[in-house]
């Protein structure tokens, strides 16, 4: 299983390559495959730890991406999220996740999700459950329970 990361303030997604004493070594998920350190001062988030708000319970990001992949048949998103209106964006997302929380899910969240989806699909990541579903001990709650 690979660990896919988002780093605040840096575009794109990253794959965890190695862990150092004071940093993580990450590699861009694109054609360049550029490696760089991510330090403790960087806000690094694993995509496995992200969820989307719904009217009921939060849905893990991998389930939302899987639903989006089924809608798009594992191809890049058919909507131009950079130029579409808020209503078009929300109508499109309602097809993917019908009960998403209209108040807490912002347009920027949907755009970021679509951007990540396109990055993953363009680089051969289409089995979101395998790649992003946390395994036991991956998330903070599991680690705290183990202590």
């Amino acid at each position: 299983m690979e660990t896919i990361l988002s780093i605040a303030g840096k575009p794109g997604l990253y794959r965890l390559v190695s862990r150092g004493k004071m940093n993580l070594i990450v590699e861009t998920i694109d054609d360049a495959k550029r490696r760089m350190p991510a330090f403790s001062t960087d806000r690094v988030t694993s995509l496995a730890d992200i969820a989307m708000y719904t009217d009921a319970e939060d849905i893990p990001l991998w389930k939302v991406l899987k639903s989006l992949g089924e809608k798009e048949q594992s191809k890049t998103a058919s909507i131009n999220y950079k130029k579409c209106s808020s209503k078009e964006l929300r109508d499109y997302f309602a097809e993917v996740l019908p009960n998403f929380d209209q108040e807490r899910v912002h347009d920027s969240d949907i755009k970021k999700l679509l951007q990540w989806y396109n990055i993953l699909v363009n680089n051969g990541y289409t089995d979101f459950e395998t790649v992003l579903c946390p395994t036991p001990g991956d998330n903070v709650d599991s680690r705290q329970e183990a202590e």
Side-chain angles (χ1 to χ4, degrees):
M1 173 169 140
E2 295 185 59
T3 302
I4 307 295
L5 306 169
S6 169
I7 302 175
K10 296 185 181 185
L13 293 174
Y14 301 85
R15 184 176 67 82
L16 178 64
V17 176
S18 179
R19 298 171 193 263
K21 259 188 172 179
M22 302 294 283
N23 62 10
L24 301 173
I25 305 300
V26 297
E27 180 179 80
T28 58
I29 296 181
D30 59 12
D31 294 335
K33 303 271 188 246
R34 200 171 29 110
R35 288 186 179 193
M36 60 187 214
F39 298 97
S40 59
T41 55
D42 296 322
R43 286 195 341 244
V44 178
T45 305
S46 170
L47 266 56
D49 293 337
I50 298 174
M52 295 294 284
Y53 296 119
T54 67
D55 295 332
E57 60 186 31
D58 296 349
I59 302 293
L61 185 66
W62 70 267
K63 288 185 178 180
V64 179
L65 289 169
K66 183 177 178 183
S67 176
L68 182 56
E70 290 168 359
K71 174 183 173 26
E72 295 293 350
Q73 300 172 342
S74 296
K75 296 184 175 114
T76 56
S78 58
I79 189 171
N80 185 346
Y81 61 88
K82 293 179 182 176
K83 295 185 178 180
C84 69
S85 70
S86 176
K87 181 174 178 4
E88 290 171 323
L89 190 65
R90 289 180 170 275
D91 289 346
Y92 175 86
F93 193 61
E95 294 175 27
V96 176
L97 190 62
N99 61 339
F100 77 97
D101 190 323
Q102 296 281 342
E103 292 179 10
R104 295 196 297 172
V105 176
H106 303 282
D107 290 353
S108 59
D109 299 330
I110 300 170
K111 288 179 180 182
K112 180 64 74 178
L113 173 83
L114 292 170
Q115 178 188 13
W116 288 348
Y117 171 79
N118 285 342
I119 290 170
L120 291 168
V121 167
N122 286 335
N123 290 283
Y125 295 94
T126 54
D127 186 0
F128 302 111
E129 185 171 3
T130 303
V131 175
L132 299 177
C133 184
T135 56
D138 271 357
N139 63 23
V140 175
D141 295 336
S142 298
R143 281 182 256 146
Q144 289 173 343
E145 289 170 9
E147 291 177 353

